[in-house]
Amino acid sequence: ELQFVESGGGLVQPGGSLRLSCAAAGIIFNERAMGWFRQAPGKEREVVASISFSNNDKYYADSVKGRFTISRDNVKNMMYLQMNSLEPEDTAVYYCARGFGITVITTMGGFASWGQGTQVTVSA
């Protein structure tokens, strides 16, 4: 059974940092691109970052470039999102997701499946 479990979300003050983790099971992890997307209340889902199967290519939304870093460990079947300089606009539920193919994902249509999500709240 395909399964993703996200962790690491929480409440943080503006300017703070969080590190999200995604544990994947039930798939051959290194055969697919992976990524994170988020959804804030009343807003559409937004691709935040993605990483190719080989770890060589990465994509970031303009809104998070220079602040977020995506990485993966194909031995441990884990993916991470290091989030620095967090802003209130980053408040959302963050989802770990798998792509259909091996290259970076830039639109929501490129995700094949995802987890339950983890809440990130940035507030003073």
Side-chain angles (χ1 to χ4, degrees):
E1 179 182 352
L2 183 61
Q3 187 175 20
F4 302 103
V5 178
E6 302 97 335
S7 61
L11 173 63
V12 64
Q13 291 187 343
S17 297
L18 284 173
R19 187 192 193 209
L20 304 184
S21 298
C22 171
I27 63 171
I28 302 176
F29 187 73
N30 63 356
E31 290 188 351
R32 292 290 185 269
M34 296 287 295
W36 296 90
F37 68 88
R38 66 187 179 186
Q39 187 165 27
K43 294 187 177 181
E44 293 187 355
R45 292 173 175 174
E46 174 191 22
V47 177
V48 175
S50 63
I51 186 167
S52 66
F53 82 110
S54 63
N55 235 333
N56 290 338
D57 296 313
K58 300 177 183 179
Y59 164 85
Y60 296 98
D62 287 343
S63 57
V64 307
K65 277 182 183 176
R67 300 188 298 122
F68 291 10
T69 302
I70 189 171
S71 61
R72 64 189 292 167
D73 185 331
N74 287 343
V75 174
K76 297 181 179 179
N77 280 14
M78 294 289 296
M79 181 177 65
Y80 307 97
L81 186 68
Q82 178 66 43
M83 305 186 296
N84 299 329
S85 303
L86 283 162
E87 304 168 352
E89 293 74 22
D90 296 316
T91 295
V93 178
Y94 285 71
Y95 298 85
C96 163
R98 176 177 69 94
F100 286 104
I102 61 174
T103 57
V104 292
I105 305 140
T106 61
T107 64
M108 285 302 305
F111 288 124
S113 56
W114 48 87
Q116 295 297 309
T118 184
Q119 175 71 47
V120 171
T121 303
V122 185
S123 175

